[in-house]
Amino acid sequence: MTGPAATTGHRRLVGAVMLGAAVILGLAACESAALSEDLPAGVSVRLVQQRSDVALHQAQVEITNGTDSTLSVEALSVTDPRFETDADRVLQRTSVIAPGSTVGIRIQLPGPACDVPDDAASTVEFSWRMDDRSGVARADLPDALDFLPAMHARECVADALAQAAAVSFTGFEAGAGGGIGILTLEALPTGVGGATIDAIRPTNLLGFGAAGTGPDAALPLQIQLAAGDTAPREVAIALEPFRCDAHAVQEDKRGTIFTVDVTVGGEAGQIELAASADMRAEILNAVAEYCGFGS
């Protein structure tokens, strides 16, 4: 058959073939971008907290790419019943992980949920792309350093203590007290009572002179927080460094984060009390002056 009818039939046939091809390609594309509940083969994950993460209340999801292809990771979050909410990545960006490499993606840790056990488990979820494949993986997240149970316990003790008093470092006077200076701890009781601030422990960098000559020697405080008591309390703590090593001071991450022994509701526990960023700088500068490498 020739003429207009044949031409029209030919066009319809070509159109049908092209449409079928487009559908097939579209289905293939959908398959390559399909969501997956599994990690890509050769990819592994774990949760760690480095010293530099502690003061910022962060941690890192380490993703290891054991494949021969580049792995890209975008949105990422960690779910854990010990957190009030999901922990999301700090920087919303694409992380490119070369073959055979490991990248740590920082997450901001939420506040604690204190009605769950300290030894719960974490799950990570992230979107990924590798070659022409992409998906969203969800997997168990091992706590490689086992830091979460202790952190959760401390933070829940801190929440309970906060019902009885607000406790913080409120000042540092460099050069006072015969060491590097005097650190002031303040407790502002709420009147609820039922708690005691028992002692403060040295850090890896700072001790308390004659009152605490060893790294395990706690300085007694014995601040009683009785029911109805709202009088502010201040304690002057003389600080002295354990070592005068310039590199150790310059690289310090935890030297101004103190462990405090407390008793709340008749149960003993510990909290971590950190100097503010500005106060931390003042303290480390005072250590440098004391040790003779401040200039």
Side-chain angles (χ1 to χ4, degrees), residues 122-156:
S122 303
T123 302
V124 66
E125 181 176 298
F126 61 89
S127 59
W128 60 271
R129 182 174 296 278
M130 183 185 295
D131 297 329
D132 60 347
R133 298 177 295 131
S134 63
V136 175
R138 183 176 177 84
D140 293 338
L141 183 63
D143 179 1
L145 305 178
D146 200 30
F147 75 93
L148 272 177
M151 187 193 81
H152 182 256
R154 286 193 306 269
E155 292 185 354
C156 289

PDB file of all heavy atoms in Angstrom, residues 122-156:
ATOM      1  N   SER A 122      21.486   1.440  67.829  1.00  0.00           N
ATOM      2  CA  SER A 122      21.334   2.512  66.848  1.00  0.00           C
ATOM      3  C   SER A 122      21.120   1.956  65.446  1.00  0.00           C
ATOM      4  O   SER A 122      21.599   0.877  65.109  1.00  0.00           O
ATOM      5  CB  SER A 122      22.586   3.407  66.833  1.00  0.00           C
ATOM      6  OG  SER A 122      22.853   3.952  68.100  1.00  0.00           O
ATOM      7  N   THR A 123      20.421   2.754  64.627  1.00  0.00           N
ATOM      8  CA  THR A 123      20.198   2.424  63.212  1.00  0.00           C
ATOM      9  C   THR A 123      20.528   3.655  62.379  1.00  0.00           C
ATOM     10  O   THR A 123      20.150   4.770  62.741  1.00  0.00           O
ATOM     11  CB  THR A 123      18.737   2.016  62.964  1.00  0.00           C
ATOM     12  OG1 THR A 123      18.405   0.901  63.793  1.00  0.00           O
ATOM     13  CG2 THR A 123      18.524   1.641  61.513  1.00  0.00           C
ATOM     14  N   VAL A 124      21.237   3.449  61.280  1.00  0.00           N
ATOM     15  CA  VAL A 124      21.559   4.550  60.377  1.00  0.00           C
ATOM     16  C   VAL A 124      20.780   4.405  59.075  1.00  0.00           C
ATOM     17  O   VAL A 124      20.527   3.286  58.613  1.00  0.00           O
ATOM     18  CB  VAL A 124      23.079   4.608  60.084  1.00  0.00           C
ATOM     19  CG1 VAL A 124      23.543   3.384  59.298  1.00  0.00           C
ATOM     20  CG2 VAL A 124      23.429   5.886  59.314  1.00  0.00           C
ATOM     21  N   GLU A 125      20.364   5.538  58.519  1.00  0.00           N
ATOM     22  CA  GLU A 125      19.702   5.561  57.219  1.00  0.00           C
ATOM     23  C   GLU A 125      20.347   6.652  56.378  1.00  0.00           C
ATOM     24  O   GLU A 125      20.546   7.775  56.859  1.00  0.00           O
ATOM     25  CB  GLU A 125      18.208   5.828  57.381  1.00  0.00           C
ATOM     26  CG  GLU A 125      17.436   5.838  56.068  1.00  0.00           C
ATOM     27  CD  GLU A 125      15.939   6.007  56.291  1.00  0.00           C
ATOM     28  OE1 GLU A 125      15.335   5.125  56.931  1.00  0.00           O
ATOM     29  OE2 GLU A 125      15.392   7.027  55.834  1.00  0.00           O
ATOM     30  N   PHE A 126      20.701   6.324  55.135  1.00  0.00           N
ATOM     31  CA  PHE A 126      21.310   7.346  54.278  1.00  0.00           C
ATOM     32  C   PHE A 126      21.016   7.057  52.805  1.00  0.00           C
ATOM     33  O   PHE A 126      20.824   5.910  52.400  1.00  0.00           O
ATOM     34  CB  PHE A 126      22.828   7.440  54.500  1.00  0.00           C
ATOM     35  CG  PHE A 126      23.602   6.187  54.201  1.00  0.00           C
ATOM     36  CD1 PHE A 126      24.109   5.927  52.932  1.00  0.00           C
ATOM     37  CD2 PHE A 126      23.848   5.264  55.212  1.00  0.00           C
ATOM     38  CE1 PHE A 126      24.833   4.780  52.668  1.00  0.00           C
ATOM     39  CE2 PHE A 126      24.580   4.104  54.954  1.00  0.00           C
ATOM     40  CZ  PHE A 126      25.068   3.869  53.681  1.00  0.00           C
ATOM     41  N   SER A 127      20.977   8.130  52.038  1.00  0.00           N
ATOM     42  CA  SER A 127      20.803   7.997  50.589  1.00  0.00           C
ATOM     43  C   SER A 127      22.184   7.876  49.950  1.00  0.00           C
ATOM     44  O   SER A 127      23.128   8.547  50.365  1.00  0.00           O
ATOM     45  CB  SER A 127      20.059   9.202  50.021  1.00  0.00           C
ATOM     46  OG  SER A 127      20.754  10.405  50.278  1.00  0.00           O
ATOM     47  N   TRP A 128      22.303   7.024  48.945  1.00  0.00           N
ATOM     48  CA  TRP A 128      23.600   6.757  48.332  1.00  0.00           C
ATOM     49  C   TRP A 128      23.487   6.660  46.820  1.00  0.00           C
ATOM     50  O   TRP A 128      22.420   6.430  46.265  1.00  0.00           O
ATOM     51  CB  TRP A 128      24.197   5.457  48.888  1.00  0.00           C
ATOM     52  CG  TRP A 128      23.351   4.243  48.651  1.00  0.00           C
ATOM     53  CD1 TRP A 128      22.361   3.749  49.448  1.00  0.00           C
ATOM     54  CD2 TRP A 128      23.388   3.360  47.501  1.00  0.00           C
ATOM     55  NE1 TRP A 128      21.787   2.635  48.891  1.00  0.00           N
ATOM     56  CE2 TRP A 128      22.400   2.365  47.703  1.00  0.00           C
ATOM     57  CE3 TRP A 128      24.163   3.325  46.342  1.00  0.00           C
ATOM     58  CZ2 TRP A 128      22.173   1.349  46.791  1.00  0.00           C
ATOM     59  CZ3 TRP A 128      23.939   2.312  45.417  1.00  0.00           C
ATOM     60  CH2 TRP A 128      22.963   1.334  45.645  1.00  0.00           C
ATOM     61  N   ARG A 129      24.643   6.839  46.176  1.00  0.00           N
ATOM     62  CA  ARG A 129      24.742   6.686  44.723  1.00  0.00           C
ATOM     63  C   ARG A 129      26.095   6.062  44.395  1.00  0.00           C
ATOM     64  O   ARG A 129      27.117   6.454  44.961  1.00  0.00           O
ATOM     65  CB  ARG A 129      24.597   8.039  44.020  1.00  0.00           C
ATOM     66  CG  ARG A 129      24.646   7.949  42.479  1.00  0.00           C
ATOM     67  CD  ARG A 129      24.358   9.301  41.853  1.00  0.00           C
ATOM     68  NE  ARG A 129      23.001   9.731  42.165  1.00  0.00           N
ATOM     69  CZ  ARG A 129      21.919   9.340  41.510  1.00  0.00           C
ATOM     70  NH1 ARG A 129      22.040   8.487  40.489  1.00  0.00           N
ATOM     71  NH2 ARG A 129      20.734   9.786  41.845  1.00  0.00           N
ATOM     72  N   MET A 130      26.064   5.080  43.490  1.00  0.00           N
ATOM     73  CA  MET A 130      27.291   4.417  43.062  1.00  0.00           C
ATOM     74  C   MET A 130      27.131   3.998  41.609  1.00  0.00           C
ATOM     75  O   MET A 130      26.206   3.238  41.275  1.00  0.00           O
ATOM     76  CB  MET A 130      27.576   3.200  43.953  1.00  0.00           C
ATOM     77  CG  MET A 130      28.871   2.472  43.628  1.00  0.00           C
ATOM     78  SD  MET A 130      29.068   0.955  44.632  1.00  0.00           S
ATOM     79  CE  MET A 130      29.223   1.659  46.276  1.00  0.00           C
ATOM     80  N   ASP A 131      27.984   4.521  40.739  1.00  0.00           N
ATOM     81  CA  ASP A 131      27.865   4.287  39.294  1.00  0.00           C
ATOM     82  C   ASP A 131      26.455   4.693  38.844  1.00  0.00           C
ATOM     83  O   ASP A 131      26.052   5.819  39.067  1.00  0.00           O
ATOM     84  CB  ASP A 131      28.178   2.821  38.962  1.00  0.00           C
ATOM     85  CG  ASP A 131      29.617   2.445  39.321  1.00  0.00           C
ATOM     86  OD1 ASP A 131      30.477   3.332  39.244  1.00  0.00           O
ATOM     87  OD2 ASP A 131      29.864   1.282  39.674  1.00  0.00           O
ATOM     88  N   ASP A 132      25.704   3.758  38.229  1.00  0.00           N
ATOM     89  CA  ASP A 132      24.359   4.099  37.756  1.00  0.00           C
ATOM     90  C   ASP A 132      23.289   3.606  38.727  1.00  0.00           C
ATOM     91  O   ASP A 132      22.109   3.541  38.389  1.00  0.00           O
ATOM     92  CB  ASP A 132      24.121   3.508  36.361  1.00  0.00           C
ATOM     93  CG  ASP A 132      24.243   1.983  36.344  1.00  0.00           C
ATOM     94  OD1 ASP A 132      24.747   1.411  37.340  1.00  0.00           O
ATOM     95  OD2 ASP A 132      23.855   1.369  35.335  1.00  0.00           O
ATOM     96  N   ARG A 133      23.691   3.263  39.933  1.00  0.00           N
ATOM     97  CA  ARG A 133      22.740   2.789  40.939  1.00  0.00           C
ATOM     98  C   ARG A 133      22.606   3.808  42.058  1.00  0.00           C
ATOM     99  O   ARG A 133      23.540   4.557  42.347  1.00  0.00           O
ATOM    100  CB  ARG A 133      23.205   1.449  41.532  1.00  0.00           C
ATOM    101  CG  ARG A 133      23.283   0.326  40.517  1.00  0.00           C
ATOM    102  CD  ARG A 133      23.832  -0.935  41.178  1.00  0.00           C
ATOM    103  NE  ARG A 133      25.208  -0.762  41.612  1.00  0.00           N
ATOM    104  CZ  ARG A 133      25.673  -1.084  42.829  1.00  0.00           C
ATOM    105  NH1 ARG A 133      24.847  -1.604  43.727  1.00  0.00           N
ATOM    106  NH2 ARG A 133      26.938  -0.917  43.136  1.00  0.00           N
ATOM    107  N   SER A 134      21.435   3.840  42.677  1.00  0.00           N
ATOM    108  CA  SER A 134      21.217   4.713  43.828  1.00  0.00           C
ATOM    109  C   SER A 134      20.133   4.103  44.698  1.00  0.00           C
ATOM    110  O   SER A 134      19.389   3.223  44.260  1.00  0.00           O
ATOM    111  CB  SER A 134      20.815   6.118  43.380  1.00  0.00           C
ATOM    112  OG  SER A 134      19.579   6.087  42.690  1.00  0.00           O
ATOM    113  N   GLY A 135      20.041   4.573  45.937  1.00  0.00           N
ATOM    114  CA  GLY A 135      19.037   4.044  46.832  1.00  0.00           C
ATOM    115  C   GLY A 135      19.120   4.680  48.198  1.00  0.00           C
ATOM    116  O   GLY A 135      19.875   5.621  48.421  1.00  0.00           O
ATOM    117  N   VAL A 136      18.332   4.164  49.099  1.00  0.00           N
ATOM    118  CA  VAL A 136      18.354   4.581  50.497  1.00  0.00           C
ATOM    119  C   VAL A 136      18.566   3.329  51.332  1.00  0.00           C
ATOM    120  O   VAL A 136      17.764   2.396  51.273  1.00  0.00           O
ATOM    121  CB  VAL A 136      17.050   5.290  50.901  1.00  0.00           C
ATOM    122  CG1 VAL A 136      17.063   5.609  52.391  1.00  0.00           C
ATOM    123  CG2 VAL A 136      16.849   6.562  50.081  1.00  0.00           C
ATOM    124  N   ALA A 137      19.659   3.301  52.061  1.00  0.00           N
ATOM    125  CA  ALA A 137      20.008   2.126  52.867  1.00  0.00           C
ATOM    126  C   ALA A 137      19.651   2.365  54.326  1.00  0.00           C
ATOM    127  O   ALA A 137      19.748   3.487  54.832  1.00  0.00           O
ATOM    128  CB  ALA A 137      21.496   1.829  52.742  1.00  0.00           C
ATOM    129  N   ARG A 138      19.232   1.320  54.999  1.00  0.00           N
ATOM    130  CA  ARG A 138      18.948   1.359  56.437  1.00  0.00           C
ATOM    131  C   ARG A 138      19.610   0.141  57.058  1.00  0.00           C
ATOM    132  O   ARG A 138      19.385  -0.979  56.613  1.00  0.00           O
ATOM    133  CB  ARG A 138      17.440   1.361  56.696  1.00  0.00           C
ATOM    134  CG  ARG A 138      17.056   1.474  58.171  1.00  0.00           C
ATOM    135  CD  ARG A 138      15.547   1.577  58.316  1.00  0.00           C
ATOM    136  NE  ARG A 138      15.143   1.622  59.709  1.00  0.00           N
ATOM    137  CZ  ARG A 138      15.104   2.723  60.455  1.00  0.00           C
ATOM    138  NH1 ARG A 138      15.467   3.879  59.921  1.00  0.00           N
ATOM    139  NH2 ARG A 138      14.719   2.686  61.714  1.00  0.00           N
ATOM    140  N   ALA A 139      20.446   0.384  58.091  1.00  0.00           N
ATOM    141  CA  ALA A 139      21.226  -0.731  58.642  1.00  0.00           C
ATOM    142  C   ALA A 139      21.511  -0.496  60.122  1.00  0.00           C
ATOM    143  O   ALA A 139      21.495   0.630  60.613  1.00  0.00           O
ATOM    144  CB  ALA A 139      22.542  -0.878  57.871  1.00  0.00           C
ATOM    145  N   ASP A 140      21.811  -1.595  60.823  1.00  0.00           N
ATOM    146  CA  ASP A 140      22.270  -1.488  62.205  1.00  0.00           C
ATOM    147  C   ASP A 140      23.580  -0.708  62.237  1.00  0.00           C
ATOM    148  O   ASP A 140      24.420  -0.840  61.328  1.00  0.00           O
ATOM    149  CB  ASP A 140      22.484  -2.877  62.811  1.00  0.00           C
ATOM    150  CG  ASP A 140      21.178  -3.641  62.970  1.00  0.00           C
ATOM    151  OD1 ASP A 140      20.113  -2.991  63.024  1.00  0.00           O
ATOM    152  OD2 ASP A 140      21.228  -4.891  63.028  1.00  0.00           O
ATOM    153  N   LEU A 141      23.760   0.082  63.297  1.00  0.00           N
ATOM    154  CA  LEU A 141      24.954   0.932  63.408  1.00  0.00           C
ATOM    155  C   LEU A 141      25.716   0.545  64.674  1.00  0.00           C
ATOM    156  O   LEU A 141      25.352   0.977  65.778  1.00  0.00           O
ATOM    157  CB  LEU A 141      24.545   2.403  63.447  1.00  0.00           C
ATOM    158  CG  LEU A 141      25.680   3.431  63.484  1.00  0.00           C
ATOM    159  CD1 LEU A 141      26.522   3.345  62.210  1.00  0.00           C
ATOM    160  CD2 LEU A 141      25.111   4.845  63.640  1.00  0.00           C
ATOM    161  N   PRO A 142      26.777  -0.259  64.553  1.00  0.00           N
ATOM    162  CA  PRO A 142      27.533  -0.666  65.743  1.00  0.00           C
ATOM    163  C   PRO A 142      28.221   0.522  66.408  1.00  0.00           C
ATOM    164  O   PRO A 142      28.773   1.403  65.735  1.00  0.00           O
ATOM    165  CB  PRO A 142      28.573  -1.651  65.174  1.00  0.00           C
ATOM    166  CG  PRO A 142      28.074  -2.029  63.818  1.00  0.00           C
ATOM    167  CD  PRO A 142      27.303  -0.857  63.314  1.00  0.00           C
ATOM    168  N   ASP A 143      28.168   0.548  67.736  1.00  0.00           N
ATOM    169  CA  ASP A 143      28.861   1.564  68.538  1.00  0.00           C
ATOM    170  C   ASP A 143      30.273   1.037  68.786  1.00  0.00           C
ATOM    171  O   ASP A 143      30.530   0.321  69.753  1.00  0.00           O
ATOM    172  CB  ASP A 143      28.091   1.772  69.842  1.00  0.00           C
ATOM    173  CG  ASP A 143      28.725   2.790  70.784  1.00  0.00           C
ATOM    174  OD1 ASP A 143      29.768   3.368  70.421  1.00  0.00           O
ATOM    175  OD2 ASP A 143      28.185   3.001  71.884  1.00  0.00           O
ATOM    176  N   ALA A 144      31.203   1.405  67.912  1.00  0.00           N
ATOM    177  CA  ALA A 144      32.527   0.778  67.906  1.00  0.00           C
ATOM    178  C   ALA A 144      33.296   1.016  69.200  1.00  0.00           C
ATOM    179  O   ALA A 144      34.070   0.159  69.630  1.00  0.00           O
ATOM    180  CB  ALA A 144      33.341   1.291  66.717  1.00  0.00           C
ATOM    181  N   LEU A 145      33.119   2.172  69.828  1.00  0.00           N
ATOM    182  CA  LEU A 145      33.855   2.511  71.044  1.00  0.00           C
ATOM    183  C   LEU A 145      33.008   2.330  72.300  1.00  0.00           C
ATOM    184  O   LEU A 145      33.473   2.631  73.404  1.00  0.00           O
ATOM    185  CB  LEU A 145      34.370   3.952  70.961  1.00  0.00           C
ATOM    186  CG  LEU A 145      35.230   4.271  69.727  1.00  0.00           C
ATOM    187  CD1 LEU A 145      35.631   5.738  69.728  1.00  0.00           C
ATOM    188  CD2 LEU A 145      36.468   3.386  69.696  1.00  0.00           C
ATOM    189  N   ASP A 146      31.771   1.888  72.112  1.00  0.00           N
ATOM    190  CA  ASP A 146      30.856   1.651  73.236  1.00  0.00           C
ATOM    191  C   ASP A 146      30.727   2.890  74.129  1.00  0.00           C
ATOM    192  O   ASP A 146      30.689   2.794  75.358  1.00  0.00           O
ATOM    193  CB  ASP A 146      31.331   0.452  74.056  1.00  0.00           C
ATOM    194  CG  ASP A 146      30.211  -0.136  74.909  1.00  0.00           C
ATOM    195  OD1 ASP A 146      29.039  -0.047  74.499  1.00  0.00           O
ATOM    196  OD2 ASP A 146      30.501  -0.670  75.997  1.00  0.00           O
ATOM    197  N   PHE A 147      30.625   4.070  73.500  1.00  0.00           N
ATOM    198  CA  PHE A 147      30.540   5.309  74.274  1.00  0.00           C
ATOM    199  C   PHE A 147      29.112   5.698  74.633  1.00  0.00           C
ATOM    200  O   PHE A 147      28.888   6.431  75.607  1.00  0.00           O
ATOM    201  CB  PHE A 147      31.191   6.465  73.501  1.00  0.00           C
ATOM    202  CG  PHE A 147      30.369   6.992  72.354  1.00  0.00           C
ATOM    203  CD1 PHE A 147      29.508   8.066  72.529  1.00  0.00           C
ATOM    204  CD2 PHE A 147      30.457   6.420  71.090  1.00  0.00           C
ATOM    205  CE1 PHE A 147      28.743   8.553  71.469  1.00  0.00           C
ATOM    206  CE2 PHE A 147      29.708   6.899  70.037  1.00  0.00           C
ATOM    207  CZ  PHE A 147      28.845   7.970  70.225  1.00  0.00           C
ATOM    208  N   LEU A 148      28.127   5.196  73.876  1.00  0.00           N
ATOM    209  CA  LEU A 148      26.758   5.662  74.080  1.00  0.00           C
ATOM    210  C   LEU A 148      26.143   5.263  75.423  1.00  0.00           C
ATOM    211  O   LEU A 148      25.467   6.090  76.044  1.00  0.00           O
ATOM    212  CB  LEU A 148      25.868   5.185  72.927  1.00  0.00           C
ATOM    213  CG  LEU A 148      25.796   6.107  71.719  1.00  0.00           C
ATOM    214  CD1 LEU A 148      24.940   5.479  70.623  1.00  0.00           C
ATOM    215  CD2 LEU A 148      25.241   7.468  72.087  1.00  0.00           C
ATOM    216  N   PRO A 149      26.328   4.030  75.920  1.00  0.00           N
ATOM    217  CA  PRO A 149      25.717   3.700  77.207  1.00  0.00           C
ATOM    218  C   PRO A 149      26.148   4.628  78.337  1.00  0.00           C
ATOM    219  O   PRO A 149      25.314   5.120  79.104  1.00  0.00           O
ATOM    220  CB  PRO A 149      26.175   2.258  77.448  1.00  0.00           C
ATOM    221  CG  PRO A 149      26.385   1.698  76.082  1.00  0.00           C
ATOM    222  CD  PRO A 149      26.952   2.842  75.295  1.00  0.00           C
ATOM    223  N   ALA A 150      27.452   4.893  78.445  1.00  0.00           N
ATOM    224  CA  ALA A 150      27.945   5.770  79.511  1.00  0.00           C
ATOM    225  C   ALA A 150      27.475   7.202  79.300  1.00  0.00           C
ATOM    226  O   ALA A 150      27.111   7.899  80.264  1.00  0.00           O
ATOM    227  CB  ALA A 150      29.469   5.710  79.575  1.00  0.00           C
ATOM    228  N   MET A 151      27.477   7.667  78.048  1.00  0.00           N
ATOM    229  CA  MET A 151      27.015   9.025  77.772  1.00  0.00           C
ATOM    230  C   MET A 151      25.542   9.184  78.134  1.00  0.00           C
ATOM    231  O   MET A 151      25.141  10.187  78.742  1.00  0.00           O
ATOM    232  CB  MET A 151      27.227   9.355  76.291  1.00  0.00           C
ATOM    233  CG  MET A 151      26.934  10.806  75.940  1.00  0.00           C
ATOM    234  SD  MET A 151      26.819  11.085  74.142  1.00  0.00           S
ATOM    235  CE  MET A 151      25.130  10.518  73.848  1.00  0.00           C
ATOM    236  N   HIS A 152      24.738   8.190  77.757  1.00  0.00           N
ATOM    237  CA  HIS A 152      23.309   8.248  78.047  1.00  0.00           C
ATOM    238  C   HIS A 152      23.073   8.278  79.553  1.00  0.00           C
ATOM    239  O   HIS A 152      22.253   9.054  80.060  1.00  0.00           O
ATOM    240  CB  HIS A 152      22.611   7.041  77.420  1.00  0.00           C
ATOM    241  CG  HIS A 152      21.132   7.025  77.619  1.00  0.00           C
ATOM    242  ND1 HIS A 152      20.533   6.184  78.543  1.00  0.00           N
ATOM    243  CD2 HIS A 152      20.128   7.729  77.046  1.00  0.00           C
ATOM    244  CE1 HIS A 152      19.223   6.375  78.508  1.00  0.00           C
ATOM    245  NE2 HIS A 152      18.951   7.300  77.614  1.00  0.00           N
ATOM    246  N   ALA A 153      23.813   7.450  80.288  1.00  0.00           N
ATOM    247  CA  ALA A 153      23.662   7.418  81.744  1.00  0.00           C
ATOM    248  C   ALA A 153      24.021   8.764  82.359  1.00  0.00           C
ATOM    249  O   ALA A 153      23.287   9.285  83.216  1.00  0.00           O
ATOM    250  CB  ALA A 153      24.534   6.309  82.331  1.00  0.00           C
ATOM    251  N   ARG A 154      25.138   9.356  81.938  1.00  0.00           N
ATOM    252  CA  ARG A 154      25.562  10.650  82.484  1.00  0.00           C
ATOM    253  C   ARG A 154      24.541  11.747  82.194  1.00  0.00           C
ATOM    254  O   ARG A 154      24.216  12.573  83.063  1.00  0.00           O
ATOM    255  CB  ARG A 154      26.926  11.054  81.914  1.00  0.00           C
ATOM    256  CG  ARG A 154      28.107  10.298  82.445  1.00  0.00           C
ATOM    257  CD  ARG A 154      29.407  10.986  82.062  1.00  0.00           C
ATOM    258  NE  ARG A 154      29.511  11.219  80.642  1.00  0.00           N
ATOM    259  CZ  ARG A 154      30.069  10.366  79.786  1.00  0.00           C
ATOM    260  NH1 ARG A 154      30.556   9.219  80.236  1.00  0.00           N
ATOM    261  NH2 ARG A 154      30.146  10.647  78.494  1.00  0.00           N
ATOM    262  N   GLU A 155      24.037  11.752  80.962  1.00  0.00           N
ATOM    263  CA  GLU A 155      23.116  12.819  80.586  1.00  0.00           C
ATOM    264  C   GLU A 155      21.784  12.691  81.316  1.00  0.00           C
ATOM    265  O   GLU A 155      21.150  13.697  81.639  1.00  0.00           O
ATOM    266  CB  GLU A 155      22.932  12.835  79.068  1.00  0.00           C
ATOM    267  CG  GLU A 155      24.203  13.262  78.345  1.00  0.00           C
ATOM    268  CD  GLU A 155      24.023  13.407  76.847  1.00  0.00           C
ATOM    269  OE1 GLU A 155      22.936  13.059  76.347  1.00  0.00           O
ATOM    270  OE2 GLU A 155      24.974  13.862  76.193  1.00  0.00           O
ATOM    271  N   CYS A 156      21.374  11.474  81.595  1.00  0.00           N
ATOM    272  CA  CYS A 156      20.128  11.296  82.346  1.00  0.00           C
ATOM    273  C   CYS A 156      20.320  11.677  83.813  1.00  0.00           C
ATOM    274  O   CYS A 156      19.411  12.226  84.443  1.00  0.00           O
ATOM    275  CB  CYS A 156      19.621   9.865  82.201  1.00  0.00           C
ATOM    276  SG  CYS A 156      18.982   9.512  80.537  1.00  0.00           S
TER     277      CYS A 156
END
